[in-house]
Amino acid sequence: MTVSEQLRHDLEDAANRMRISSIEMTCASKSGHPTSSTSAAEIMSTLFFSELKYDIAEPKSASADRFILSKGHACPILYAAWEEAGLLSHEQVLSLRKIDSDIEGHPTPRLNFIDVATGSLGQGLGVATGMAYVGKYIDKASYRVFCLLGDGESAEGSVWEAAAFASIYKLDNLVAIVDVNRLGQSQATSLGHDVETYKARFAAFGFNAIVVDGHSVEELLSAYETARNTKGKPTAIIAKTLKGKGIEGIENEDNWHGKPVPAETKGKLVAQKPINDAPVIDLHVGSTKMPAPEYKKGDKVATRAAYGTALAKLGDVNPRVIGLDGDTKNSTFSEKLLKKHPDQFIECFIAEQNLVGVAVGAQCRDRTIPFTSTFAAFFTRATDQIRMAAVSFANLKCVGSHVGVSIGEDGPSQMALEDLAIFRTIPGATVFYPTDAVSAERATELAANTKGIVFIRTGRPALPVLYDNDEPFQIGQAKVVKQSAEDKIVLVGSGVTLYESLKAAEELEKEGIHATVIDPFTIKPLDGKTIAEHALRVGGRVVTTEDHYPAGGIGEAVSAALADYPSIRVRSLNVKEVPRSGPPDALVDLYGISARHIVAAVKNFQ
């Protein structure tokens, strides 16, 4: 590629101005990562002012190219790029890391040009692949996706999960750029400047891999041109750089990671405008309504199967509802969407970190409503991705099946017993635990119409339908499934333990002990008001039962909700040890959450 002398000079000047700005903002904050920023200066100047198509008047336009800074600690160079573009002022970037500034120490979507939060390393490429998939196969638009990774984070397995996904789906609209600056936080990275090994690894994963001098404008622009012309595979640009480039006495020296350096009239280059060919869509809350459930009371249906039915219905009414699965679709029943709407389904294979990462990318800029499905136990692998999704204010739906000891013979490696705790800790998350098929369908519909992170806990056993098809359900509203004026205790359960609570209530009633039975429906937010009202009515005694470990589950949620009522006491039954394989009913009894244990807890309640 022939680069004019003027363009080369302009881009080199821009890179140096951005270097200086990065140094100045980290000096002002007395913290930050200037050396990780300065190594990427030419990468950023060539990207932002020769390759990327965007409009500073609408940085997150549906049609604009996407850029993910996976090495989020290098955000000073990103802020400097947007300053150079004219979106941020120098005064704004100098507010880096201040408590009243959105120019944070790692980027978050509080800024109008950031799609997702980064900084927990190894996650950016997964998000980028989700964006690229949507661009190529759903939006069918011309925008492209660029992801800048650090060399150190390429040790993360999630990077290679994402690389495999990008290759499988031939994401030729994706460009990964690895800033190989050799130095990590505490020592040199595992490969140092061995760029040929990086190239070989990405090539082995199906990428068009190109090695360049990351400080050469000509080589970078030539690599971008090659990427534009590459069809049928993603591109990885391996950029050999120097950490601290341009800083005397610090360039390529160890022990300067995350430390400010000694301090050193912006010109303005004009970015290319995007091609406005992304379709206009409207995914406002409440826009996705589905037909009512169609069950008969008493019919035995697993909530995981009802979820699949509801997901397919949602796909019928909204082509932007998509399903993603990790090779468990015939167990989670998300395959029902695949069979009806194959273009609305993404198979992510056995790579749960990337499963969540792709979904987070797919929901960016309100392009889709993604439902990710797998065994709930396997979401634990993606806990960091879920945590970062919250920092990204993502609209992410997670549906976990095969929960608790009630899955039976598959044994403890498959039993989710920590999932409620994980999702309850996520700020702003909604946690559904539907008990029957009707409530499972309604939970799925509500999830589609609720912004933010949502978790639906579905079960393996086929259990009787409890509710009428026209029963209304709302987030934060429990259902009282049994009550009388003679009640002396409240029993709270969800899923399999609600049925055990109903059985226990029947047994207790034979002995003259009447019980109110409550189905919480959502564990977060929990309807503490309804539980408290009935607890006070019956004399202040509550027994909760759950197919989950004690920490972070229903018992703790109910106890916290009732903590301000001195006359109410709570006893909780739960799985207290690592379980074993066995028949579902036998395990429910063995681990103390069956009807007979509930009866005993009521009788022993002092």
Side-chain angles (χ1 to χ4, degrees), residues 252-303:
N252 203 33
E253 293 295 326
D254 204 352
N255 202 32
W256 281 98
H257 182 93
K259 297 178 181 179
V261 299
E264 302 279 326
T265 316
K266 305 264 180 224
K268 287 290 181 288
L269 293 169
V270 178
Q272 301 179 69
K273 293 290 193 291
I275 299 168
N276 290 316
D277 59 356
V280 176
I281 58 173
D282 181 8
L283 296 181
H284 69 272
V285 171
S287 63
T288 305
K289 298 297 184 183
M290 68 180 199
E294 298 178 349
Y295 301 102
K296 292 180 181 178
K297 275 189 170 182
D299 284 353
K300 290 189 174 182
V301 182
T303 51

Side-chain angles (χ1 to χ4, degrees), residues 492-494 497 501 543-547 554 573-574 592-594 598:
V492 179
S494 292
T497 63
S501 296
V543 173
T544 69
T545 311
E546 61 192 299
D547 198 357
I554 295 171
L573 304 180
N574 37 54
I593 57 173
S594 66
I598 299 170

Side-chain angles (χ1 to χ4, degrees), residues 2-3 26 74 152 432 435 445 481 591:
T2 303
V3 179
T26 52
F432 291 95
T435 288
E445 180 183 32
V481 295
Y591 292 102

Side-chain angles (χ1 to χ4, degrees), residues 141 242 359 470:
L242 299 177
D470 60 357

Side-chain angles (χ1 to χ4, degrees), residues 34 127 462 478 525 588:
V127 172
V588 167

Side-chain angles (χ1 to χ4, degrees), residues 53-68 82 87 108-117 131 139 143 274 276 278 363-367 391-394:
K53 294 179 172 64
Y54 61 94
D55 187 344
I56 64 170
E58 191 182 358
K60 289 201 286 191
S61 159
S63 296
D65 287 344
R66 278 68 161 150
F67 175 75
I68 301 293
W82 284 107
L87 182 63
T108 76
R110 290 190 175 98
L111 294 165
N112 68 350
F113 52 85
I114 299 296
D115 284 293
V116 295
M131 292 174 156
D139 280 341
Y143 64 79
N276 290 316
Q363 61 81 45
C364 284
R365 306 193 187 189
D366 293 325
R367 305 313 295 164
V391 182
S392 299
F393 311 107

